[in-house]
Amino acid sequence: MKAAIYPGSFDPVTYGHLDVIKRAANIFDELTVSVLNNKLKTPLFSVEERVKILQEAVREIPNVKVESFSGLLVDYAKSRDIHVVIRGLRAITDFEYELQNAQTNAKLSSGALDTVFLTTSLEYAYLSSSSVKEIASFGGDISMCVPDFVAKLVYRKFGFGEKEMGGRT
Ligand code: PNS
């Protein structure tokens, strides 16, 4: 059985992430989407919230499960006996960082962990969790970036009620 991990911050999950998840789930028998518990960052959503949101977003894809992890990705992958990491590439600007991470993980795992890149579908190439948060913080429209239930939760974090969003969500 071919298994892969798709790690990330997913703060929050976007249509770009979901596109990568669906396509990776078509390639691999089992896909584990894993939320990094990064103590150095102050996320909008807690790890528990992000896991719940992802579980809801992928509930119709049977071979996808959602977990969280702390520490090094190579250690987490080893503990699950998984040897492939999935990452999405939006543009050349992602490449340098992703290449460095992929090579670091290959080195740290003595070649046991490979990274497979999926190029983001064109319609989602501009999307990022950071821009979703920035747009939402000003009450802007994020309906083209995230599923409706996620948009509601994001607006709520920024103190916007549904009324204030003018029925946008
Ligand atoms: O969604 P992100 O924030 O771009 O995801 C980054 C992630 C989680 C893939 C990366 O930060 C990671 O794997 N962190 C775990 C720590 C680790 O293993 N670091 C070594 C690789 S450089």
Side-chain angles (χ1 to χ4, degrees):
M1 192 184 71
K2 277 278 165 221
I5 294 174
Y6 179 27
S9 301
F10 306 108
D11 186 40
V13 65
T14 67
Y15 281 133
H17 296 129
L18 291 170
D19 172 57
V20 170
I21 290 171
K22 280 177 201 151
R23 287 160 54 211
N26 275 335
I27 300 170
F28 290 88
D29 299 310
E30 192 176 286
L31 180 70
T32 304
V33 180
S34 251
V35 180
L36 174 67
N37 188 357
N38 187 348
K39 300 249 158 38
L40 301 176
K41 277 192 187 171
T42 313
L44 184 64
F45 292 97
S46 70
V47 174
E48 294 75 21
E49 287 172 321
R50 281 177 277 160
V51 167
K52 267 180 86 175
I53 291 170
L54 272 161
Q55 278 169 338
E56 174 62 22
V58 304
R59 80 188 149 89
E60 282 175 6
I61 317 174
N63 59 333
V64 176
K65 62 179 176 179
V66 185
E67 294 185 347
S68 63
F69 77 104
S70 317
L72 287 177
L73 182 61
V74 286
D75 294 333
Y76 168 68
K78 194 174 177 192
S79 75
R80 296 288 183 275
D81 197 25
I82 296 178
H83 303 278
V84 179
V85 171
I86 301 291
R87 291 289 288 170
L89 278 182
R90 287 167 300 193
I92 194 75
T93 41
D94 284 339
F95 184 72
E96 229 172 298
Y97 167 75
E98 293 296 342
L99 178 69
Q100 195 178 24
N101 272 5
Q103 289 173 338
T104 305
N105 286 331
K107 193 79 186 163
L108 284 175
S109 66
S110 306
L113 193 58
D114 254 321
T115 303
V116 170
F117 294 108
L118 291 182
T119 50
T120 307
S121 299
L122 274 181
E123 66 260 48
Y124 306 122
Y126 67 96
L127 277 181
S128 75
S129 298
S130 309
S131 57
V132 167
K133 286 181 277 194
E134 185 162 3
I135 296 166
S137 73
F138 296 109
D141 186 3
I142 54 170
S143 60
M144 66 299 193
C145 308
V146 297
D148 283 355
F149 83 96
V150 180
K152 279 187 183 136
L153 295 169
V154 174
Y155 286 131
R156 200 181 296 160
K157 283 279 180 190
F158 287 109
F160 293 110
E162 271 170 60
K163 254 193 206 150
E164 286 160 294
M165 300 321 306
R168 225 179 246 161
T169 62

